Amino acid sequence: MSARPKAVRREARAKINVFLRVLGAREDGYHDLQSLVVPISLADLVTVEPADALRVEVEGAPELAGEGPGGLNLALVAALALADACPEASGALVRIEKRIPVAGGLGGGSADAAATLHALNELWGCHVDPLTLAGIGEHIGSDVPAMLAGEPVLMTGRGERLVPASCSELHWVLVDLGFGVRSPEAYRWWDEDGGHTGPDPEPLLAAAAAGDADAIAPLLFNDLEAPVVARHPAIGEARARVLDGGALGAVMSGSGSSVVGLARDETHAHALAAAVGGIAVVGPAAGGR
Ligand code: C5P
């Protein structure tokens, strides 16, 4: 028998949606979408170690203990789902050091779930293959398969269909509004407001692959932004501040509330961050381990 690791530590990277195009509502309550999802340098830290029972501790955001479906933290949902699929599973303590704003459209909960799946797969020696892991992730949340991938992906379906996407390294300023927006509400507001679908993303995908920030900037879009901003004007004000501060372009990430501004380079991102009270991040950021 090979020795099991004593503990496994993983970075749970946040994501931004460079564009998010909502195609329409589906019978099952979800919406079909297209989105370029890019992992960024902002990350939570997930550490798993053997324990008698399965337990999740969150440092930095204790209110997260009961965040997910049925009042469960998404990382705990992930741990339970992997335990079901893995005969070698036993107890584990999952510790999450929280840095990603909660419900900010940055995929924090999904990133924690994905990092927990990867880390427990290793700790328990499950050897669950990536495709099966993605299948487990899909049942935890629409963003989890993309977060498991840990690289830029073009996401379609309700979020579970992924193809690797080419996106050069870009520098962004991220503004955390300090409040969350629940995804079901954002999508419901999109329905209520007539369901506008944005443009063909091909030009944006080509500009992202080429790493041409000036070409990308005017093409950034998020179909959830207008309906969410209509209910939360502070998000629109933050976006305007980022643009006034000199960002090449700005867009809300995911279902909000975070706003990201595109910078020319790293120095520009730090200057913007200081000017608008945000943080400088790079994406795509490699790693996740
Ligand atoms: O999959 P997840 O649990 O993250 O989705 C939360 C909610 O967000 C769904 O119940 C649905 O209301 C909405 N949603 C959607 N279309 C998607 C993803 C999420 O309508 N593609």
Side-chain angles (χ1 to χ4, degrees), residues 106-163:
L106 302 169
S110 304
D112 295 344
T116 300
L117 287 175
H118 279 311
L120 287 178
N121 201 22
E122 192 177 330
L123 182 79
W124 289 336
C126 302
H127 304 291
V128 173
D129 64 274
L131 206 64
T132 308
L133 218 52
I136 294 171
E138 183 187 329
H139 293 290
I140 301 167
S142 301
D143 281 344
V144 177
M147 310 311 274
L148 279 166
E151 59 180 5
V153 288
L154 180 63
M155 132 196 297
T156 57
R158 73 169 168 92
E160 81 287 12
R161 291 213 302 267
L162 306 177
V163 287

Side-chain angles (χ1 to χ4, degrees), residues 64-98:
L64 282 190
E67 164 212 26
L72 290 178
N73 179 287
L74 280 191
L76 182 56
V77 178
L80 292 168
L82 184 66
D84 262 355
C86 171
E88 292 84 5
S90 51
L93 170 61
V94 180
R95 274 189 296 118
I96 304 174
E97 291 166 48
K98 209 62 212 162

Side-chain angles (χ1 to χ4, degrees), residues 11-285:
E11 278 187 332
R13 297 207 174 280
K15 57 85 179 166
I16 57 176
N17 301 82
V18 176
F19 78 90
L20 197 163
R21 188 176 189 224
V22 186
L23 303 176
R26 316 187 334 177
E27 302 258 304
D28 63 3
Y30 287 90
H31 291 71
D32 277 318
L33 51 81
Q34 289 176 300
S35 183
L36 174 56
V37 182
V38 167
I40 58 172
S41 46
L42 176 67
D44 291 343
L45 204 54
V46 173
T47 310
V48 299
E49 56 194 72
D52 290 339
L54 260 183
R55 205 153 52 85
V56 174
E57 274 177 15
V58 184
E59 295 163 25
E63 74 277 12
L64 282 190
E67 164 212 26
L72 290 178
N73 179 287
L74 280 191
L76 182 56
V77 178
L80 292 168
L82 184 66
D84 262 355
C86 171
E88 292 84 5
S90 51
L93 170 61
V94 180
R95 274 189 296 118
I96 304 174
E97 291 166 48
K98 209 62 212 162
R99 291 177 199 134
I100 307 171
V102 178
L106 302 169
S110 304
D112 295 344
T116 300
L117 287 175
H118 279 311
L120 287 178
N121 201 22
E122 192 177 330
L123 182 79
W124 289 336
C126 302
H127 304 291
V128 173
D129 64 274
L131 206 64
T132 308
L133 218 52
I136 294 171
E138 183 187 329
H139 293 290
I140 301 167
S142 301
D143 281 344
V144 177
M147 310 311 274
L148 279 166
E151 59 180 5
V153 288
L154 180 63
M155 132 196 297
T156 57
R158 73 169 168 92
E160 81 287 12
R161 291 213 302 267
L162 306 177
V163 287
S166 174
C167 183
S168 298
E169 190 180 272
L170 297 164
H171 293 272
W172 306 85
V173 61
L174 189 154
V175 179
D176 166 26
L177 277 284
F179 64 88
V181 177
R182 295 185 58 250
S183 318
E185 289 198 312
Y187 283 96
R188 183 165 52 78
W189 296 334
W190 182 87
D191 291 335
E192 285 173 10
D193 290 2
H196 170 78
T197 297
D200 178 351
E202 279 308 323
L204 176 47
L205 287 166
D212 184 345
D214 286 309
I216 295 167
L219 301 174
L220 300 168
F221 73 95
N222 179 345
D223 288 336
L224 296 175
E225 186 177 291
V228 171
V229 166
R231 276 85 178 173
H232 291 288
I235 298 172
E237 288 156 17
R239 184 176 179 277
R241 261 200 322 278
V242 168
L243 288 173
D244 288 347
L248 304 179
V251 70
M252 185 182 84
S253 186
S255 55
S257 60
S258 299
V259 168
V260 289
L262 182 58
R264 266 192 312 278
D265 52 30
E266 188 173 0
T267 311
H268 186 208
H270 283 283
L272 270 173
V276 303
I279 59 167
V281 296
V282 59

